[in-house]
Amino acid sequence: MTSPISPSSNSSAHTLGTCSLFYVIFISAVAAIGGFLFGFDSGVINGTVSALGNTFNSSSVATGFNVASVLLGCALGALAAGPLADKFGRRAIMIVTAIIFAVSAFGSGIADSSAEFIFYRLFGGLGIGAASVLAPAYIAEVAPASLRGRLATLQQLAIVLGLFAAFLSNYLIANAAGGAEGILMLDLAAWRWMFWAELVPAGLFLIGVLFIPESPRYLVAQGKLKHAKTVFNKISNDNADTQISDVKQSLQSDKKPSIRDLFIDGSKKVHPIVWVGVALSVFQQFVGINVVFYYGSELWQAAGFDESQSLFINVLAGTTNILSTFIAIALVDKVGRKPLLLVGSLGMFISLSALTYTFGSAGLDEAGKLALSENMGTFALIMANLFVVFFGLSWGPIVWVLLGEMFNNRIRGAALAVAASAQWIANFAITMTFPIMLGSIGLAGAYGFYALSAFISVFFVVKYIKETRGMKLESM
């Protein structure tokens, strides 16, 4: 069986040649390590929520902020990454991002107070936000149109692999120490080692970025045509001069890209395509996927499972997410972006509605926690994983594919930054409000809101999303 992005998987891929194709896959995969760190850094908090609350004596609201604080940094990092990448280059900012990840991972593990922990998480958020912009932009700019969808989904595959790695390392570390608050090596709490595990991929990302070229489309925008020609010759068999001419024409002038390009002819009206990108980002978060990934352990304990079972369920959800992402990789350049989004929206609405009913009809035990029967507990697990499947084959990867390719060359960096920043703000809102909703309207109320968001997203996709499969970036 051939790989989804192997030379034989698409006839138009033959124009690249085997060496060029594997070089493009390599540099795309290196950029996607930023996505792995994005996923790991986002998911590592999952197994540490209770331990952090106990260590820092946090209230439920403060605990929510411990989890959600990173997302404020993400919003700022995403907003800044686009303009900075347009000014200094995608590669240079990726190097800075790798360093930020390493500092944040180390600092989060040594924190002795809630304020210190929040500082390092906010700092790490800058790296996550930047990675959420840089990887899809870079991959879209080096990938051929025939394979761009599949190569762009490497970003989401890396994110879910990072989430899975975080869930698995949390599970193994907690088991070795007898819990997240247990003592491990050097007489330090296990939850600290959960954060320090991120230092390994951060180091690999830093090394890898040193071996990839700058985006040729960025180089053209900066007037570095000789360098751009060299890169185009490495990643494509098409005539480099023709490609440079196409990029220059799409830029429309000698003026370098800036945030002002998001507005129509210097007016105060933002280009409609930017609002579509923002809405894509917000809907991706409002379906509640990150509640599963950030609060999975807390969620399943609230549903009656113990800590060890809850951490294992996280690993199961991470595995499901990875497998469903491979489905997206196989289909995105064959079926298209819009059909996958529609299937995902409908599937998420059905599975979330089932979870809403399940949690709403459950009774309470003597401790006041939800008490699901064995059959209902199994049904809830199936529906939760079905929700992850539908998200993983659609809104998870496809949003990043579209954000990387739907904007034209002039506005890509700035527009992607705005859309990704909106995504992190929406993520913060959902993450911060979940503990509050859990205590006020319960799991059923929270999941009812997520189900409603999935339902509305169906109509948004039908009306506003245009298919981009097979189009060149210069045609956007």
Side-chain angles (χ1 to χ4, degrees):
M1 181 178 290
T2 59
S3 164
I5 50 178
S6 66
S8 59
S9 66
N10 192 306
S11 58
S12 58
H14 287 299
T15 60
L16 276 177
T18 302
C19 292
S20 294
L21 176 60
F22 283 111
Y23 181 68
V24 170
I25 293 173
F26 166 72
I27 62 178
S28 298
V30 169
I33 297 176
F36 181 93
L37 286 160
F38 164 177
F40 194 101
D41 205 277
S42 299
V44 70
I45 194 74
N46 192 307
T48 66
V49 176
S50 295
L52 289 171
N54 294 333
T55 301
F56 302 141
N57 296 315
S58 304
S59 64
S60 60
V61 175
T63 297
F65 194 71
N66 282 337
V67 177
S69 59
V70 66
L71 303 174
L72 294 177
C74 291
L76 181 59
L79 196 60
L84 288 174
D86 282 339
K87 183 174 183 179
F88 299 106
R90 279 67 166 140
R91 183 173 175 269
I93 305 303
M94 279 194 274
I95 291 173
V96 174
T97 299
I99 296 171
I100 289 174
F101 275 120
V103 173
S104 172
F106 180 74
S108 297
I110 64 171
D112 286 323
S113 68
S114 185
E116 186 180 359
F117 178 80
I118 288 171
F119 169 79
Y120 282 111
R121 291 295 286 168
L122 281 169
F123 187 68
L126 297 175
I128 299 176
S132 71
V133 170
L134 296 170
Y138 181 86
I139 293 171
E141 291 178 351
V142 299
S146 60
L147 296 175
R148 191 177 59 242
R150 275 169 281 183
L151 288 171
T153 54
L154 287 176
Q155 161 79 348
Q156 179 64 16
L157 178 61
I159 292 171
V160 299
L161 286 171
L163 282 166
F164 176 79
F167 295 157
L168 183 61
S169 65
N170 282 356
Y171 175 71
L172 295 175
I173 290 171
N175 269 9
E181 295 179 70
I183 301 302
L184 209 58
M185 294 181 289
L186 304 179
D187 289 329
L188 294 169
W191 67 263
R192 299 184 185 276
W193 289 100
M194 292 177 181
F195 287 105
W196 289 335
E198 188 181 347
L199 289 169
V200 175
L204 291 175
F205 184 43
L206 180 59
I207 294 171
V209 173
L210 298 176
F211 291 93
I212 65 175
E214 182 54 82
S215 160
R217 288 173 170 85
Y218 162 79
L219 292 171
V220 173
Q222 297 298 309
K224 300 177 180 179
L225 304 185
K226 184 176 180 181
H227 192 178
K229 184 174 182 179
T230 300
V231 178
F232 271 128
N233 283 331
K234 287 184 177 180
I235 66 175
S236 173
N237 284 348
D238 292 341
N239 184 276
D241 291 326
T242 301
Q243 293 184 81
I244 290 173
S245 177
D246 288 343
V247 174
K248 289 176 69 176
Q249 185 176 358
S250 72
L251 293 172
Q252 297 178 340
S253 74
D254 293 329
K255 176 179 171 290
K256 294 181 179 180
S258 76
I259 197 76
R260 291 186 295 274
D261 295 323
L262 300 183
F263 296 91
I264 300 173
D265 298 328
S267 70
K268 294 182 179 180
K269 293 184 178 180
V270 176
H271 282 289
I273 191 67
V274 178
W275 289 118
V276 174
V278 168
L280 269 171
S281 291
V282 171
F283 274 117
Q284 189 199 53
Q285 296 306 311
F286 273 28
V287 297
I289 188 65
N290 282 320
V291 167
V292 175
F293 291 138
Y294 296 164
Y295 289 107
S297 178
E298 299 294 295
L299 188 157
W300 291 112
Q301 287 182 64
F305 294 87
D306 63 32
E307 183 185 33
S308 179
Q309 290 172 325
S310 298
L311 288 172
F312 180 75
I313 292 171
N314 287 341
V315 176
L316 181 64
T319 304
T320 302
N321 204 6
I322 292 171
L323 295 176
S324 57
T325 302
F326 277 111
I327 298 175
I329 291 174
L331 297 178
V332 64
D333 283 322
K334 295 179 180 178
V335 174
R337 285 67 159 150
K338 187 169 183 174
L340 288 177
L341 286 179
L342 282 173
V343 170
S345 291
L346 290 169
M348 289 189 297
F349 169 65
I350 293 170
S351 53
L352 286 168
S353 297
L355 285 169
T356 301
Y357 170 78
T358 301
F359 294 137
S361 60
L364 301 177
D365 61 17
E366 295 178 355
K369 290 187 176 183
L370 284 179
L372 297 176
S373 65
E374 184 175 346
N375 288 338
M376 291 301 283
T378 301
F379 179 72
L381 280 175
I382 292 173
M383 287 298 105
N385 279 281
L386 193 61
F387 164 58
V388 172
V389 167
F390 280 110
F391 179 86
L393 63 82
S394 62
W395 282 81
I398 304 305
V399 167
W400 292 114
V401 173
L402 284 171
L403 291 181
E405 68 184 10
M406 66 191 286
F407 307 116
N408 64 47
N409 284 329
R410 173 167 294 285
I411 70 170
R412 182 173 301 110
L416 218 171
V418 170
S421 182
Q423 182 174 133
W424 291 115
I425 292 171
N427 194 339
F428 174 81
I430 291 294
T431 305
M432 190 69 191
T433 56
F434 177 71
I436 299 171
M437 288 195 290
L438 188 61
S440 57
I441 59 177
L443 280 176
Y447 274 78
F449 174 79
Y450 307 144
L452 177 63
S453 297
F455 181 69
I456 296 173
S457 73
V458 175
F459 301 96
F460 167 75
V461 173
V462 170
K463 185 172 177 61
Y464 293 107
I465 298 303
K466 309 297 182 184
E467 184 57 62
T468 55
R469 177 169 63 99
M471 292 177 62
K472 291 184 177 181
L473 289 186
E474 284 64 51
S475 301
M476 295 296 173

